[in-house]
Amino acid sequence: MYADRINSLPPYLFATIDRARQDAIKKGVDVINLSIGDPDMPTPPHIVEAMRKSVGNPARQRYPSYEGMLSFRAAAAKWYKKTMNIDLDPESEVLTLIGSKEGIAHIPLAFLNPGDVSLVPDPGYPVYNIGSILADGKPFKMPLLEVNDFLPDLDAIPSDAAKKAKLMFLNYPNNPTSATATEKFFEEVVDFAIENDILVIHDNAYSEMTYDGYKAPSFLSTGGARDVGIEMHSLSKTYNMTGWRLGFAVGNRDILAGLGKVKTNVDSGAFEAVQEAGIAALSGKQDCVDDMNRIYKERRDALIAGLNELGLDVKPPRATFYVWVKVKGSSLDFTKMLLEKSGIVATPGVGFGEYGEGYIRFALTQSVERIQEAVERMHRNSFEYFGHWSNKWM
Ligand SMILES: *Cc1c(COP(=O)(O)O)cnc(C)c1O
């Protein structure tokens, strides 16, 4: 019944974990869910209020423009200037997206011919890989290894894969490893892209979720980056707006025009009332972002302290709301054990690709009290985990 491209999609491991979670809840277990990358805190009130005002305006209820409201794109350009010190032309260098996932999933349709290679990080946000498969492209996995600080080793990409590649996806600060990129790495990426005629798509969904004074660089601030690439942004994590579906892409105007062409033919743009809420988010006071980062930092510190007390050598991430922890053996078995023994849900690393095997991901999307409770449960059952944590008592 289904097309080959659907049949060829990898199995969705997260569904297995979710079923186990629901079974545990049915059995009456007080489950602490540290598996979801979806902010638990509400959208800030001034953003909700902007939507409330806009939604009753008949002009906002009609088909939106394909490329997004110019006022939203101008707000995005201004935000970019303020946060990244990069100048953008709102008309040609900013494109509104119905969430950045939409842009990531559509971009291979604009640039891959059947059999063309797209370079995707592994472990990685699954859409880079799946979007490439849906466009009949051939994803080539770039392993993100701890020895390389979870950056892809560009020299390790075989030259025939590099020559056949049209696209490269990158994401720093990174989901799931929480790794960050150096400016030097981005310079190497630009050189590699020029040499091999590759377009770079940098997913910067976590640029604002940073701690300890760390500032995540924009790929576009690298010399030459605008000639080879674009950057994707999302309001989902920065402003707790995952349900609203709003993001934007910036950078090289020809790449954006290709993406825009696909979008014009498959969707009709983001609801304008949502874009007006987005303007309120991007142009309003940014205290809400600082407040959220303070809360995530407190949660991060509680989880890291607990894991360190268990004898694990885990360092506090300086960006994202994820903690990536090494385990021994199967990550799926480990997360099952964590749920059975302690009622804690984490995500098995293998769900993000084969090189995610041997790790689990905790998301800091529960209150500090619940995270402390999770830590206490792990301590109580620590003998159960003995020998399963990878770097314990070595
Ligand atoms: C959450 C997330 C996004 C955001 O997706 P939206 O479609 O904008 O909600 C994009 N990339 C990564 C890596 C993410 O984790």
Side-chain angles (χ1 to χ4, degrees):
M1 178 171 158
Y2 301 113
D4 294 345
R5 72 173 70 83
I6 293 293
N7 289 327
S8 72
L9 295 180
Y12 198 63
L13 251 190
F14 303 141
T16 315
I17 280 289
D18 203 56
R19 223 171 304 121
R21 180 184 66 87
Q22 285 172 10
D23 289 347
I25 290 172
K26 258 187 231 143
K27 276 189 244 156
V29 178
D30 172 26
V31 168
I32 304 176
N33 191 352
L34 298 176
S35 74
I36 37 171
D38 186 353
D40 56 309
M41 291 177 276
T43 307
H46 68 285
I47 301 173
V48 177
E49 195 45 43
M51 170 79 168
R52 213 192 300 278
K53 279 211 186 99
S54 182
V55 75
N57 178 353
R60 302 279 85 87
Q61 294 162 359
R62 308 186 63 182
Y63 279 124
S65 63
Y66 292 112
E67 65 280 2
M69 297 167 85
L70 186 56
S71 52
F72 175 76
R73 288 181 291 145
K78 254 194 174 152
W79 182 87
Y80 234 82
K81 178 70 183 165
K82 207 169 49 193
T83 56
M84 314 280 186
N85 196 25
I86 288 175
D87 292 295
L88 294 166
D89 169 23
E91 301 229 26
S92 61
E93 294 178 316
V94 184
L95 181 66
T96 306
L97 301 173
I98 309 172
S100 55
K101 183 178 186 178
E102 179 262 300
I104 295 164
H106 279 146
I107 203 135
L109 289 173
F111 295 101
L112 297 185
N113 284 318
D116 282 348
V117 167
S118 93
L119 301 169
V120 302
D122 181 337
Y125 185 58
V127 194
Y128 316 128
N129 183 40
I130 307 275
S132 303
I133 295 173
L134 291 178
D136 296 327
K138 278 213 170 338
F140 181 90
K141 306 290 177 60
M142 301 184 291
L144 305 187
L145 305 177
E146 194 160 353
V147 288
N148 300 325
D149 299 323
F150 299 108
L151 298 169
D153 179 357
L154 302 178
D155 295 331
I157 299 170
S159 62
D160 61 321
K163 288 279 168 277
K164 279 192 216 140
K166 288 284 300 284
L167 293 176
M168 175 191 280
F169 287 98
L170 292 172
N171 161 225
Y172 294 97
N174 184 259
N175 174 13
T177 68
S178 75
T180 53
T182 56
E183 283 164 37
K184 180 172 162 289
F185 170 72
F186 281 154
E187 285 164 16
E188 289 166 14
V189 169
V190 170
D191 290 343
F192 184 85
I194 293 171
E195 200 177 306
N196 296 289
D197 205 8
I198 291 169
L199 307 177
V200 178
I201 315 300
H202 182 239
D203 177 358
N204 211 349
Y206 295 95
S207 65
E208 305 313 298
M209 201 186 276
T210 61
Y211 318 106
D212 310 327
Y214 174 69
K215 174 98 187 62
S218 164
F219 174 65
L220 295 185
S221 56
T222 312
R226 279 189 206 221
D227 298 329
V228 298
I230 61 169
E231 192 153 77
M232 301 275 188
H233 269 278
S234 169
L235 281 79
S236 289
K237 313 293 164 48
T238 311
Y239 301 104
N240 298 340
M241 292 177 74
T242 47
W244 299 61
R245 312 312 304 134
L246 188 62
F248 56 96
V250 295
N252 184 281
R253 58 188 76 193
D254 298 324
I255 303 179
L256 294 180
L259 175 57
K261 198 146 207 167
V262 175
K263 285 177 56 56
T264 306
N265 286 286
V266 300
D267 68 56
S268 296
F271 183 21
E272 290 196 340
V274 170
Q275 293 188 63
E276 291 212 305
I279 294 171
L282 295 170
S283 336
K285 279 177 72 174
Q286 301 297 300
D287 310 22
C288 54
V289 178
D290 301 335
D291 292 346
M292 285 183 285
N293 284 346
R294 247 193 311 278
I295 292 168
Y296 289 133
K297 180 187 180 303
E298 197 187 340
R299 296 171 177 186
R300 176 200 72 169
D301 292 344
L303 181 60
I304 296 288
L307 294 173
N308 288 347
E309 273 167 39
L310 269 166
L312 301 179
D313 175 26
V314 188
K315 304 231 158 26
R318 44 185 197 164
T320 78
F321 53 10
Y322 303 116
V323 175
W324 188 239
V325 181
K326 207 173 197 170
V327 298
K328 270 194 193 138
S330 153
S331 58
L332 189 58
D333 287 349
F334 191 95
T335 51
K336 280 181 183 157
M337 181 174 65
L338 207 50
L339 180 57
E340 274 164 29
K341 309 290 181 200
S342 307
I344 299 165
V345 191
T347 310
V350 71
F352 300 100
E354 60 177 302
Y355 294 96
E357 185 53 290
Y359 293 87
I360 60 167
R361 190 194 74 177
F362 290 110
L364 302 169
T365 46
Q366 296 284 341
S367 69
V368 73
E369 291 77 21
R370 290 296 275 171
I371 287 174
Q372 276 160 350
E373 163 73 19
V375 162
E376 276 160 31
R377 289 186 196 177
M378 285 190 269
H379 278 257
R380 269 202 301 279
N381 306 334
S382 65
F383 65 94
E384 308 272 7
Y385 302 115
F386 185 87
H388 294 282
W389 296 110
S390 173
N391 49 8
K392 186 172 169 64
W393 300 308
M394 289 200 304

